[in-house]
Amino acid sequence: NFMLTQPHSVSESPGKTVTISCTRSSGSIASNYVQWYQQRPGSSPTTVIYEDNQRPSGVPDRFSGSIDSSSNSASLTISGLKTEDEADYYCQSYDSSNQVFGGGTKLTVL
Amino acid sequence: QLQLQESGPGLVKPSETLSLTCTVSGGSISSSSYYWGWIRQPPGKGLEWIGSIYYSGSTYYNPSLKSRVTISVDTSKNQFSLKLSSVTAADTAVYYCARLRFPIRFDYWGQGTLVTVSS
């Protein structure tokens, strides 16, 4: 099985851009789609990016996703930061039978 | 709109079995292409996938929990269930049920239920 590693926390000011990384420990990041979930305190996770770079309806285009095979990692980029973006963000991927979540990144917008 | 709702005891004694049920409404649990999964989150920590089940009964389990986990499905009630045996304090968590667009992503989640393991 593989692991997904995220930074524990990131912080940035309103209006700025932040990028959260998710590095796969073994196997190619490109071989299985990566999803990103946002979780606000006391709430269930919701999808902000699926299948590497797709946004569900209702998610603003300030949210974007990408993968980088050279670093074997996925990234979530949030531009034009708003205070409402402050939350925990989790990446998730899978192999043939298992689901794997990253450890989560706490985004602080200050 | 699809909805999932977890139910079960909020307190379980150490060494006993944790049992939860997820009731699906607004859609059929027998839909093709979808699995149904359990995910947990210890207080202040991250998400951990427990396992997933298809309406036919086919299951996948997290290898780290496999020896203690059983997930079952009742299509007549549009429900699926989780049993986790020999629990310890480390199993204290919010337990979520969710729909899995197999094998890729979870797209609908329940609100979660806190289960505390304590004597």
Side-chain angles (χ1 to χ4, degrees), chain B residues 17 19 33 42-43 68 74-75 83 85 103 105 118:
Chain B
T17 296
S19 296
S33 299
R68 298 194 293 129
D74 186 337
T75 55
K83 291 188 185 298
S85 64
R105 64 186 180 106
S118 175

Side-chain angles (χ1 to χ4, degrees), chain A residues 34-55:
Chain A
V34 175
Q35 282 61 238
W36 291 91
Y37 302 93
Q38 177 192 69
Q39 186 181 35
R40 295 192 173 101
S43 297
S44 305
T46 61
T47 306
V48 291
I49 294 290
Y50 68 95
E51 294 178 7
D52 297 340
N53 55 19
Q54 302 299 303
R55 271 180 293 105

Side-chain angles (χ1 to χ4, degrees), chain A residues 1 98, chain B residues 40 48-50 61-69 84 91:
Chain A
N1 224 13
N98 298 312
Chain B
R40 70 180 183 178
E48 179 181 34
W49 171 70
I50 300 170
Y61 296 136
N62 186 322
S64 69
L65 297 169
K66 186 174 184 176
S67 63
R68 298 194 293 129
V69 173
L84 181 65
D91 296 309

Side-chain angles (χ1 to χ4, degrees), chain A residues 12-106:
Chain A
E12 191 49 271
S13 303
K16 299 291 190 180
T17 297
V18 69
T19 297
I20 300 171
S21 62
C22 171
T23 302
R24 180 166 171 158
S25 62
S26 61
S28 171
I29 193 72
S31 55
N32 306 103
Y33 287 122
V34 175
Q35 282 61 238
W36 291 91
Y37 302 93
Q38 177 192 69
Q39 186 181 35
R40 295 192 173 101
S43 297
S44 305
T46 61
T47 306
V48 291
I49 294 290
Y50 68 95
E51 294 178 7
D52 297 340
N53 55 19
Q54 302 299 303
R55 271 180 293 105
S57 59
V59 173
D61 60 5
R62 301 184 297 105
F63 290 79
S64 63
S66 64
I67 62 167
D68 180 355
S69 295
S70 66
S71 59
N72 214 35
S73 64
S75 293
L76 171 69
T77 299
I78 311 171
S79 60
L81 276 169
K82 300 185 176 185
T83 54
E84 67 204 46
D85 299 331
E86 186 162 292
D88 294 327
Y89 291 85
Y90 294 90
C91 59
Q92 172 258 323
S93 192
Y94 56 94
D95 60 17
S96 57
S97 57
N98 298 312
Q99 303 295 322
V100 179
F101 288 95
T105 299
K106 181 176 180 60

